[in-house]
Amino acid sequence: MIGFDIRAASETDLKRLAALEREIFSEAKASPALLADSVGESSVGGFLGGRAGEPAAGFAIWRIAADEAELLSIGVVAPARK
């Protein structure tokens, strides 16, 4: 059985998040600087995931405002989709 890792994204993951967005979406809008602004906010969070021991193959980024949560972006690279 193949293991998977899911972990909270941090500021050290900004380049990987931006690279994933560029690879997954044809019109990627997130640069490391834009992601840094978002991740730096206490109301924004994210996860990275993928096969254990390999670079992250997917992510989710969300924002919490008052009593609501908004999914800002979610994606998985094509080879990891099933």
Side-chain angles (χ1 to χ4, degrees):
M1 181 173 189
I2 297 172
F4 289 89
D5 287 330
I6 298 175
R7 63 179 177 78
S10 69
E11 289 186 21
T12 60
D13 296 310
L14 297 177
K15 287 183 181 178
R16 181 65 186 147
L17 284 166
L20 283 168
E21 180 145 323
R22 282 191 307 274
E23 183 176 348
I24 295 166
F25 303 110
S26 61
E27 295 185 24
K29 298 177 179 119
S31 67
L34 178 63
L35 288 167
D37 289 342
S38 297
V39 172
E41 296 178 27
S42 63
S43 62
V44 175
F47 286 122
L48 288 167
R51 292 179 187 235
E54 295 182 12
F59 70 95
I61 301 173
W62 66 88
R63 174 184 8 227
I64 297 172
D67 62 347
E68 296 181 353
E70 175 185 13
L71 186 58
L72 300 175
S73 187
I74 188 169
V76 175
V77 295
R81 297 177 197 156
K82 289 188 178 190

